């Protein structure tokens, strides 16, 4: 078997060239194109060229929020760990995940609800620009939908890409009904890695 030997810094560049070629001329304005390519790169799944749905100017709004020092709240530690915190902190932003906080665990147990639900409620106390990135828990999106309708939280952007089979599609459709900027992966596909990838694509967006 013959394989191409590349320096580490060239592997991503080559991957992006392959992705661009296999998209057969399909392009989008930046930074949307970079978000789509990075999701394909992370997953090796070209379905993201079609199942990522953006509200009007959502990707540009996300970049602007990050440059204003936005806090990104994730539903999982995995998503939080995948976001480039050093680059984000350069804009004055930070990543928070409340899923393992003792008060969240205790509250979820007492109410017999998911920790993701309580985490979104805790996110409502975050000050300043806010991005919510959900890659695992549809209950987080359901809670967000209810809280937004009740004027209890108003994030600047929702990234709704939970993966799975139970309430996943339905929760994403609920976000599509809102007047909040969103980036949603329609259908069952997504994941914490995709949520982090979308955040990083916006963080890396060129000045």
């Amino acid at each position: 078997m013959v394989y191409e030997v590349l320096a580490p810094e060239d592997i991503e560049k080559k991957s992006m060239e392959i992705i661009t070629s296999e998209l057969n001329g399909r392009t989008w304005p930046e930074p949307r194109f970079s978000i789509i390519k990075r999701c394909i790169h992370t997953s090796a799944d070209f379905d993201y060229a079609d199942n990522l749905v953006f509200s009007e100017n959502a990707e540009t709004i996300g970049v602007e929020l990050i440059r204003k020092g936005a806090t990104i709240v994730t539903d999982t530690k995995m998503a939080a760990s995948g976001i480039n915190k050093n680059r984000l902190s350069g804009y004055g932003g930070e990543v928070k995940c409340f899923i393992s906080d003792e008060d969240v665990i205790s509250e979820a147990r007492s109410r017999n609800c998911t920790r993701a639900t309580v985490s979104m409620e805790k996110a409502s106390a975050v000050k300043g620009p806010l991005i919510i990135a959900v890659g695992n828990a549809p209950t987080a999106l359901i809670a967000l939908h209810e809280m937004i309708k009740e004027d209890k939280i108003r994030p600047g952007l929702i990234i709704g890409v939970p993966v799975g089979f139970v309430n996943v599609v339905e929760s994403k459709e609920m976000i599509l009904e809102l007047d909040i900027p969103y980036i949603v992966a329609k259908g069952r596909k997504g994941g914490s890695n995709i949520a982090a990838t979308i955040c990083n694509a916006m963080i890396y967006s060129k000045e």
Side-chain angles (χ1 to χ4, degrees), residues 37-83:
K37 285 191 294 184
R38 285 187 177 277
C39 286
I40 294 170
H41 180 242
T42 293
S43 62
D45 188 344
F46 278 83
D47 283 354
Y48 284 103
D50 297 300
N51 69 13
L52 282 178
V53 179
F54 299 76
S55 65
E56 185 175 2
N57 298 321
E59 64 276 24
T60 303
I61 291 168
V63 171
E64 291 174 350
L65 288 167
I66 285 166
R67 292 177 182 168
K68 290 177 180 176
T71 298
I72 300 175
V73 174
T74 69
D75 65 325
T76 64
K77 287 187 173 181
M78 180 179 175
S81 68
I83 297 171

Side-chain angles (χ1 to χ4, degrees), residues 30-189:
E30 290 291 355
R32 185 174 300 191
F33 196 14
S34 291
I35 292 172
I36 291 169
K37 285 191 294 184
R38 285 187 177 277
C39 286
I40 294 170
H41 180 242
T42 293
S43 62
D45 188 344
F46 278 83
D47 283 354
Y48 284 103
D50 297 300
N51 69 13
L52 282 178
V53 179
F54 299 76
S55 65
E56 185 175 2
N57 298 321
E59 64 276 24
T60 303
I61 291 168
V63 171
E64 291 174 350
L65 288 167
I66 285 166
R67 292 177 182 168
K68 290 177 180 176
T71 298
I72 300 175
V73 174
T74 69
D75 65 325
T76 64
K77 287 187 173 181
M78 180 179 175
S81 68
I83 297 171
N84 190 324
K85 298 171 193 64
N86 288 335
R87 290 283 290 272
L88 182 63
S89 66
Y91 295 110
E94 61 180 330
V95 178
K96 292 182 180 290
C97 179
F98 303 125
I99 199 73
S100 295
D101 290 5
E102 287 299 326
D103 58 336
V104 169
I105 295 170
S106 176
E107 178 76 7
R109 186 178 295 121
S110 68
R111 288 165 47 190
N112 194 29
C113 66
T114 69
R115 287 187 284 164
T117 295
V118 181
S119 291
M120 294 301 103
E121 294 170 357
K122 190 168 182 176
S124 67
V126 173
K127 304 299 183 184
L130 174 63
I131 296 172
I132 303 287
V134 176
N136 183 71
T139 54
L141 294 185
I142 293 168
L144 275 175
H145 181 269
E146 294 175 356
M147 292 167 64
I148 289 166
K149 291 292 188 181
E150 295 171 358
D151 292 322
K152 293 180 178 178
I153 191 171
R154 194 164 185 86
L157 175 68
I158 298 172
I159 298 168
V161 293
V163 61
F165 300 94
V166 179
N167 293 327
V168 167
V169 173
E170 294 82 357
S171 69
K172 292 173 179 177
E173 293 293 331
M174 292 171 75
I175 299 304
L176 298 181
E177 298 173 355
L178 298 172
D179 62 350
I180 300 284
Y182 59 75
I183 301 173
V184 169
K186 294 190 73 175
R188 294 172 169 175
K189 293 183 179 181

